[in-house]
């Protein structure tokens, strides 16, 4: 599950999670982690691949936001570290919020994500849902990496999205295949729409044990 560890020279005194969104991976946030670590070397950053993404394919169902948060708790125990901060983008933001509730985190940044339940009609019209649904129609494996750019742009998606999706391909003996699990990702998206983090954020007890930034 742990994709990358980013730290400046020396041993960090504080650790934070950097959590990607749906169809992402830990490697997407390396540049951000390096800049943050360079700005303050006392911080180290843990960049995991969330379940069903990148190299994380061993976690059993159910594939939920809560399960992702539990994965982080188990990984921290395995590493012998105790991160007190999480920065999560989109889906990773909700994972950060549920993780923060579990460990009474000091700080949580949930970026570009509503803490509550999104409007289901709007959620179903989002680009990420459209991409996930379309990817099921893409014949795999592909003979070359940039073929996915051609397929996605021909379907009306942006070239930038197509280039980003090339990072989700792995080369096998048969050709290029996905590094993620679409079935697991769809389950994660369905659960995402049911998760409401507002009760914890609005709890009077939360201000006594930590802070969350949304």
């Amino acid at each position: 599950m742990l994709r990358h560890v980013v730290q400046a020279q020396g041993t960090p005194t504080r650790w934070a999670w950097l959590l990607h969104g749906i169809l992402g991976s830990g490697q997407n946030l390396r540049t951000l982690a390096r800049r943050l670590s360079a700005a303050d070397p006392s911080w180290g950053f843990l960049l995991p691949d969330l379940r069903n993404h990148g190299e994380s394919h061993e976690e059993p169902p159910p594939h939920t936001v809560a399960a992702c948060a539990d994965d982080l708790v188990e990984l921290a125990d395995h590493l012998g570290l105790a991160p007190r901060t999480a920065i999560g983008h989109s889906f990773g933001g909700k994972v950060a919020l549920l993780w923060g509730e579990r460990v009474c985190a000091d700080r949580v940044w949930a970026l570009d994500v509503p803490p509550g339940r999104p409007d289901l009609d709007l959620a179903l019209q989002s680009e990420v849902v459209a991409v996930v649904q379309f990817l099921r129609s893409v014949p795999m494996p592909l003979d070359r990496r940039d073929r996915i750019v051609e397929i996605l742009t021909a379907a009306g998606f942006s070239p930038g999205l197509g280039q980003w999706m090339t990072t989700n391909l792995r080369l096998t003996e048969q050709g290029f295949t996905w590094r993620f699990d679409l079935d697991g990702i769809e389950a994660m998206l369905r659960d995402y729409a049911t998760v409401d983090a507002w009760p914890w954020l609005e709890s009077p007890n939360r201000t006594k044990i930590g802070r969350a930034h949304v």
Side-chain angles (χ1 to χ4, degrees), residues 1-5 17 19 46-50 56 59 67-83 99:
M1 180 180 184
L2 186 61
R3 181 64 172 173
H4 299 284
V5 177
W17 299 109
L19 307 175
L46 305 172
L47 287 62
D49 288 343
L50 298 179
S56 294
E59 294 79 9
C68 292
D70 291 338
D71 292 340
L72 297 182
V73 174
E74 294 178 9
L75 179 56
D77 289 343
H78 174 73
L79 295 172
L81 298 174
W99 169 85

Side-chain angles (χ1 to χ4, degrees), residues 63 65 91 120 124 136 182-195:
H63 299 303
V65 181
F91 182 91
L120 288 180
L124 291 175
R136 288 198 171 277
L182 283 174
D183 290 335
I185 285 173
E186 285 193 341
M188 293 163 70
L189 283 171
R190 286 193 297 271
D191 183 69
Y192 165 89
T194 72
V195 173

Side-chain angles (χ1 to χ4, degrees), residues 6-9 12-14 18 30-45 87:
V6 175
Q7 64 189 78
Q9 291 184 351
T13 58
R14 299 176 291 180
L18 279 182
R30 285 182 298 176
T31 299
L32 173 61
R34 288 169 180 158
R35 290 176 177 172
L36 292 173
S37 182
D40 188 345
S42 69
W43 281 96
F45 296 92
I87 304 169

